[in-house]
Amino acid sequence: MKCSKTLFLCLLWSLTITANAQTGQPLAGTKPLRLRGDLSQRMREGIDKYLTRETAATVRSRQKFWAPDFSSREAYGKSIAANRRRFAYDIGASDELHTVAALELIETLDQPALIARTDQYAVFAVRWPAFGNVFGEGLLLEPLAQPIGVVVAIPDADQTPEMLIGSAPGIAPRSQFARRLAEQGFRVVVPVLIDRNDEWAGNPAVIMTNQTHREWIYRSAYPMGRHIIGYEVNKILALVDWLSRQGKPGDTIGVAGYGEGGLLALYTTALDPRIDATLVSGYFDSRQDVWQEPIYRNVFGLLQEFGDAEIAGMIAPRALIVEHSIAPEVDGPPKLRPGRLESAAPGRLTTPTFASIDAEVARVRTRFPAQAEIRPNITLIAGKTGAPIPFGFDDALSAFVKALEIDQPLQPSGDLPVDTRSDFDPGSRQQRQVQQLIDHTMHLLANSHHVREKFWEPVKPSSIEEWQQGTARYREAMLEELIGRLPPATLPPKARTRQIYDQPKWTGYEVVLDVYPDVICWGYLLVPKDIQEGEKSPVVVCQHGLEGTPESVVTDDPDNRDSQIYCSYAAKLADEGFVTYAPHNFYKGGNEFRQLQRKANPLKNTLFGITTVQHQQMLDWLSSLPFVDPQRIGFYGLSYGGNTATRVPAILEQYACVIDSGDFNEWVTKTVSVHYNYCFPPLGAYEVGEFNLGHTFNHSDMVGLIAPRPFMVERGHKDGVAPDEWVAAEYARVRRLYVELGIPERTEIEFFNGPHKINGVGTFEFLRKHLNWPRQ
């Protein structure tokens, strides 16, 4: 009787499935899915709207990070000390500075250090030790009389110090503010900045790119918790420290900058209270659209706590002059040249409107109570009717000189200095500066494992219980500082489904779930037909890789590239009786999804931060299905999906076992090194870098947060992601951890003689074993 009933139910289920396949009927207990079109595009558009709203909200929400005390200058400085420390960390100004004993003259038998002399000042080529083996370089303009003060004059990235003093063409004489300040009687140092050319962007032994030098340095530095901005701020800070010790009592220190130099002037002054006055030209604005600027301005978490107004607030009550000048115009990366890889990130610089700058200046003032002892001393200078003016003009320089407590009118522009060096090539100096910063980053990389060991030292694998308790704070740190914490889903899933497959052993449904307003989850659910009434089955979440879709892991077509890579593993697992779910992760659409990463980063978030919330919503929904065992949900991802496998399950402990295919390796080296053609810095995947990854979480460390849950690596010998040796060495750390925890049987690695693809042999057995399937 029981067998007859079971046979009847199976026949009824089969007839229902057949009918549903013809009509696109929903899964029982869900609403019909009416959405059509490109759901991947719809997901990206929804996430873009969400990030746009969150970006706008930061102007108010960042107030929670501030607790200023306006009662006195000393009290104010103490009350924002923590903000300054966080700001220095965010911009990567984290290296220990050298104490500069003296500026060093740069000369050879052919090129003297004294490069020019007028009747008012002498010009020297100089350098100074900044940090590590990195030197700042530039020009020193030394007055022939006693200096009236000292100024660091910072050009834009595409201007040389020689241009800013007038000994080389490129800047109109009235805008040569370094020279004009020297004529006023100031000692002036003009540092070299890393420029926007691409001549040395790459490794000639590996590949050259069309990235700017600034992007090239940013790409490697970012995962090491460093930044081209922080590197250059530190060069200037080391210089300011020397200048502060050279002058007579009462001498004032000023910093003036244009374009990229304006950014550095603003940031440096915010960090160093010894700077008395600052001129920022061609930079100041709301930073809400920083994601559209060149990637070398991408600062993780910037907008969460800082806009330009908040940074300017850290300068108060010192003087800040903002000149609304015509900003450097950048319409994208350098044009691709023969023999180079086109891998630069998009990004533009334009001149902001006066209204936008004026609103940000007004926001500086509104942050200080009207009756407070501490008030901002900020002046906005623009042309008539708010029009932008050429940079470094008389009104701005006069205001800057006055702010430095010099009671004398601005001197008229004098004669230009003549460079006595023969055939001087600023390119060799630029190459030297670029290489020093790359070498410094590679030194950080070489020592990063020691830093990570110290970071992880407090937790010991003495037992499973102690390991789980000890790693809880690391899970929080990974979520907060690496992945990005977002609030839980604000909407119920409201599952909508439609049947799209009817196979002999399983039925397939397209699924859409809500997460936030405009933000959805999308995926394919494959349900075996032989699930018995009341039975709870295991689930395998099958995660596609870069530019994939849920269909990628299901389709079985020998002529389809996705089928060749993924080998329809979601469908094959469903054939074995597993429920499988193929979620869409939104790393699809080229620059379109990569720009979402750019938009998320200033909010202290990443693609994986959003993906983690989507997966939590998905897990909650899957767990609610009557035929799913919520204690037996596994994760199996390839490539970018494998990268997801080391991150999302490290945060979401509901995943019972994890398989990383075609991705697990020495990830820190892969994201930082410039010495191998399979590393990311020269490649087009500019979204991959995660800030300070190198000092916190390599792949084996992420797996430490998955332990004691079962974890496996699937690796093809011919996979070009990384060499076998990197994979094996990083996996050895995982193996040792599981052995020390007394659970070596819970981790495996399978090498197979194949390319970047799903092999589906040892991994399938691993899933059967650790998800207790087939029924035992």
Side-chain angles (χ1 to χ4, degrees):
M1 183 70 177
K2 184 176 180 180
C3 291
S4 299
K5 182 179 180 182
T6 301
L7 182 63
F8 171 76
L9 289 173
C10 288
L11 179 61
L12 180 61
W13 174 260
S14 177
L15 291 173
T16 303
I17 293 306
T18 301
N20 285 351
Q22 296 171 350
T23 62
Q25 288 297 307
L27 178 71
T30 67
K31 300 289 185 181
L33 176 59
R34 309 294 188 193
L35 292 177
R36 298 290 178 181
D38 187 344
L39 295 188
S40 175
Q41 176 72 22
R42 188 183 185 97
M43 182 186 288
R44 293 194 300 275
E45 290 173 352
I47 291 169
D48 182 64
K49 291 177 182 178
Y50 173 79
L51 292 173
T52 298
R53 290 195 300 269
E54 292 298 298
T55 299
T58 60
V59 176
R60 290 188 177 182
S61 64
R62 67 178 65 126
Q63 295 174 8
K64 65 187 177 185
F65 293 97
W66 298 84
D69 183 344
F70 300 111
S71 61
S72 69
R73 186 166 183 160
E74 181 181 7
Y76 182 65
K78 289 181 179 179
S79 71
I80 64 169
N83 301 92
R84 280 189 172 130
R85 286 193 297 271
R86 289 193 293 268
F87 182 60
Y89 174 84
D90 289 348
I91 64 172
S94 299
D95 289 292
E96 183 176 354
L97 300 182
H98 296 310
T99 298
V100 180
L103 297 189
E104 302 174 12
L105 299 179
I106 302 176
E107 66 179 1
T108 67
L109 291 175
D110 297 325
Q111 304 285 0
L114 177 61
I115 71 164
R117 187 182 181 93
T118 72
D119 59 358
Q120 295 173 294
Y121 57 89
V123 184
F124 298 89
V126 296
R127 72 173 193 170
W128 59 96
F131 52 90
N133 291 320
V134 174
F135 285 79
E137 287 193 47
L139 300 179
L140 167 65
L141 283 66
E142 184 70 16
L144 301 183
Q146 180 68 34
I148 62 174
V150 294
V151 172
V152 181
I154 315 172
D156 178 54
D158 286 341
Q159 299 170 343
T160 66
E162 288 76 14
M163 292 179 187
L164 203 57
I165 72 169
S167 66
I171 297 177
R174 285 187 65 186
S175 292
Q176 294 165 4
F177 60 86
R179 173 181 60 82
R180 300 196 64 195
L181 289 167
E183 292 169 346
Q184 193 73 19
F186 289 97
R187 168 184 283 167
V188 180
V189 183
V190 191
V192 174
L193 296 193
I194 301 300
D195 66 26
R196 302 188 187 97
N197 293 319
D198 66 353
E199 187 66 28
W200 297 286
N203 183 341
V206 179
I207 195 167
M208 300 300 290
T209 77
N210 74 323
Q211 298 172 30
T212 66
H213 296 145
R214 301 188 72 79
E215 179 175 353
W216 177 239
I217 292 166
Y218 160 88
R219 290 278 200 104
S220 289
Y222 191 81
M224 296 310 303
R226 301 300 192 270
H227 203 292
I228 179 62
I229 293 174
Y231 281 158
E232 294 194 319
V233 163
N234 271 351
K235 289 182 183 181
I236 300 167
L237 286 173
L239 183 59
V240 167
D241 180 68
W242 177 79
L243 290 169
S244 71
R245 292 182 279 106
Q246 299 306 302
K248 64 183 185 300
D251 278 359
T252 51
I253 300 176
V255 177
Y258 168 66
E260 221 63 43
L263 178 155
L264 295 171
L266 181 70
Y267 284 17
T268 303
T269 307
L271 290 177
D272 196 331
R274 293 173 298 184
I275 299 170
D276 298 291
T278 303
L279 168 60
V280 173
S281 181
Y283 175 74
F284 199 85
D285 190 19
S286 165
R287 296 265 79 84
Q288 302 306 103
D289 290 331
V290 67
W291 62 275
Q292 297 186 66
E293 298 175 22
I295 196 169
Y296 51 78
R297 288 189 177 179
N298 179 51
V299 174
F300 189 62
L302 178 72
L303 295 183
Q304 187 182 57
E305 188 169 352
F306 305 100
D308 279 4
E310 284 75 20
I311 298 168
M314 292 191 289
I315 295 174
R318 294 166 291 154
L320 172 62
I321 295 94
V322 175
E323 183 182 42
H324 177 33
S325 65
I326 302 169
E329 298 284 332
V330 174
D331 196 30
K335 300 298 183 184
L336 185 65
R337 296 186 282 159
R340 289 178 178 256
L341 179 67
E342 188 171 21
S343 62
R348 301 175 66 248
L349 294 178
T350 59
T351 301
T353 65
F354 174 79
S356 180
I357 298 172
D358 189 45
E360 194 71 3
V361 169
R363 212 165 61 77
V364 178
R365 298 190 177 108
T366 58
R367 297 185 72 251
F368 293 76
Q371 304 306 316
E373 290 294 323
I374 298 298
R375 295 286 299 159
N377 182 5
I378 185 168
T379 303
L380 175 58
I381 294 175
K384 293 180 180 179
T385 68
I389 57 178
F391 68 92
F393 263 33
D394 288 12
D395 287 350
L397 287 184
S398 294
F400 181 58
V401 169
K402 183 178 180 181
L404 288 170
E405 301 179 0
I406 304 302
D407 187 17
Q408 63 184 41
L410 185 70
Q411 300 297 309
S413 179
D415 295 333
L416 305 184
V418 177
D419 197 327
T420 60
R421 294 171 295 184
S422 59
D423 301 322
F424 172 69
D425 177 17
S428 60
R429 181 179 59 192
Q430 181 70 202
Q431 182 182 19
R432 185 165 59 242
Q433 289 279 288
V434 169
Q435 194 60 50
Q436 283 180 8
L437 292 178
I438 290 294
D439 289 347
H440 180 73
T441 304
M442 295 307 104
H443 177 74
L444 293 174
L445 170 62
N447 287 281
S448 63
H449 66 285
H450 295 302
V451 181
R452 291 195 302 275
E453 285 174 0
K454 187 174 181 180
F455 176 68
W456 282 88
E457 191 175 24
V459 59
K460 307 293 183 185
S462 51
S463 71
I464 290 177
E465 294 73 19
E466 289 186 19
W467 180 257
Q468 289 177 305
Q469 292 173 6
T471 55
R473 70 181 183 91
Y474 290 88
R475 181 171 291 105
E476 288 297 303
M478 181 176 169
L479 179 60
E480 189 73 35
E481 301 298 332
L482 191 74
I483 301 299
R485 184 190 299 277
L486 285 173
T490 58
L491 297 176
K494 191 184 173 183
R496 287 90 74 200
T497 67
R498 59 171 164 249
Q499 187 175 340
I500 53 174
Y501 294 107
D502 180 18
Q503 295 296 312
K505 293 185 178 181
W506 50 267
T507 309
Y509 298 89
E510 190 169 22
V511 180
V512 170
L513 311 173
D514 289 334
V515 182
Y516 301 128
D518 299 312
V519 179
I520 61 171
C521 295
W522 167 50
Y524 287 2
L525 177 70
L526 310 186
V527 183
K529 293 180 177 179
D530 65 348
I531 297 177
Q532 304 300 309
E533 184 179 6
E535 183 179 10
K536 299 283 188 177
S537 297
V539 179
V540 181
V541 173
C542 301
Q543 188 62 68
H544 65 74
L546 183 68
E547 297 294 338
T549 64
E551 184 180 6
S552 301
V553 302
V554 177
T555 185
D556 184 12
D557 178 355
D559 296 325
N560 185 296
R561 182 174 179 272
D562 279 351
S563 186
Q564 296 167 13
I565 294 171
Y566 296 102
C567 302
S568 58
Y569 77 109
K572 290 177 180 176
L573 286 167
D575 283 341
E576 291 201 9
F578 290 96
V579 175
T580 64
Y581 186 76
H584 182 59
N585 283 4
F586 60 101
Y587 29 70
K588 180 177 172 59
N591 279 337
E592 189 175 334
F593 91 80
R594 293 188 166 100
Q595 288 300 92
L596 293 179
Q597 178 83 312
R598 288 290 315 278
K599 212 165 187 175
N601 277 178
L603 304 176
K604 202 175 183 181
N605 220 285
T606 68
L607 297 177
F608 287 115
I610 300 166
T611 298
T612 298
V613 178
Q614 290 176 311
H615 273 245
Q616 183 64 72
Q617 186 80 322
M618 177 191 75
L619 284 170
D620 291 344
W621 177 71
L622 286 172
S623 298
S624 73
L625 297 176
F627 50 84
V628 165
D629 183 348
Q631 304 303 313
R632 291 188 291 162
I633 301 179
F635 190 108
Y636 185 178
L638 172 69
S639 194
Y640 227 124
N643 209 12
T644 309
T646 56
R647 286 161 174 76
V648 173
I651 302 300
L652 302 182
E653 298 178 84
Q654 194 170 344
Y655 280 115
C657 74
V658 180
I659 300 173
D660 182 339
S661 178
D663 183 79
F664 184 90
N665 70 93
E666 220 298 337
W667 190 253
V668 173
T669 301
K670 184 173 174 65
T671 56
V672 175
S673 178
V674 299
H675 297 309
Y676 307 96
N677 60 6
Y678 34 75
C679 291
F680 281 118
L683 304 181
Y686 58 81
E687 84 290 353
V688 168
E690 294 158 297
F691 189 67
N692 208 23
L693 167 90
H695 291 138
T696 52
F697 297 96
N698 210 340
H699 269 174
S700 61
D701 303 305
M702 296 177 190
V703 176
L705 301 181
I706 294 173
R709 290 169 284 161
F711 174 80
M712 183 176 183
V713 171
E714 182 177 52
R715 162 69 190 183
H717 286 309
K718 299 175 184 177
D719 193 324
V721 166
D724 280 346
E725 292 80 2
W726 285 16
V727 178
E730 189 66 10
Y731 177 74
R733 298 183 178 94
V734 173
R735 173 71 182 178
R736 182 175 60 212
L737 171 63
Y738 276 71
V739 168
E740 290 175 336
L741 290 173
I743 49 173
E745 72 282 356
R746 295 190 193 179
T747 186
E748 296 180 27
I749 187 168
E750 180 186 52
F751 289 95
F752 66 94
N753 190 27
H756 186 68
K757 60 173 286 187
I758 293 287
N759 191 45
V761 179
T763 51
F764 278 35
E765 182 58 36
F766 190 80
L767 291 169
R768 296 183 197 108
K769 175 181 177 181
H770 293 289
L771 293 181
N772 191 22
W773 192 256
R775 306 169 188 89
Q776 295 180 4

